[in-house]
Amino acid sequence: MAIKIGDKLPDIELQVMGEKGPEKVRTGDLFAGKKVVIFAVPGAFTPTCSKAHLPGFVVDADKIKAKGVDSIICTSVNDTFVMDAWGKAHNAEDLIMLADGLGEFAKALDLTQDRTASQMGIRSQRYAMIVNDGTVELLNIDAQGLDQTSAETILDSL
């Protein structure tokens, strides 16, 4: 069963790019005692993700943080190097680019999708959440498009 409002996020070890290379981080540490917006995309450098989803959060990062959000996290089933390069390509230095290279976080949330037909393998669904101290307060999922998961929609929900 997919994660839902009121559930605690699982504590899983993932990676971010640090000054000296990939660094392990625990999701429990990223969310503990903080209000966080996290959004997931099916793939870095893919059309909708690169043209609309990530850029919206980059543009609205200050507005989102002004509403009491401690951090904004972008996650995808991509490796740390890809997430880092994608973040740099879109000036996403105010966001945490969280690599879910093996899809463990997406699987634990039960928010995966099978993209093997298009040679992408198992990926994350497109979603956005507002999380307070590790507990899901809002969960929006888009099967197509960005109606529910855009930065603008999340900003309006804060």
Side-chain angles (χ1 to χ4, degrees), residues 106-143:
K107 289 173 191 169
L109 298 176
D110 195 19
L111 291 174
T112 60
Q113 59 180 314
D114 187 346
R115 292 279 187 98
T116 54
S118 58
Q119 299 295 310
M120 290 177 69
I122 302 299
R123 294 295 177 127
S124 177
Q125 291 183 45
R126 185 180 308 280
Y127 66 82
M129 286 189 232
I130 298 172
V131 180
N132 198 346
D133 193 23
T135 300
V136 179
E137 290 186 342
L138 175 90
L139 170 61
N140 291 352
I141 302 170
D142 274 319

Side-chain angles (χ1 to χ4, degrees), residues 13 19 29 33 44 51 86 117 139-140 147 153:
E13 186 176 88
E19 290 181 23
D29 294 333
K51 291 178 184 171
W86 190 45
L139 170 61
N140 291 352
D147 294 337
T153 298

Side-chain angles (χ1 to χ4, degrees), residues 72-85:
I72 303 168
I73 298 173
C74 175
T75 188
S76 183
V77 180
N78 288 108
D79 66 65
T80 313
F81 297 98
V82 169
M83 291 299 288
D84 182 57

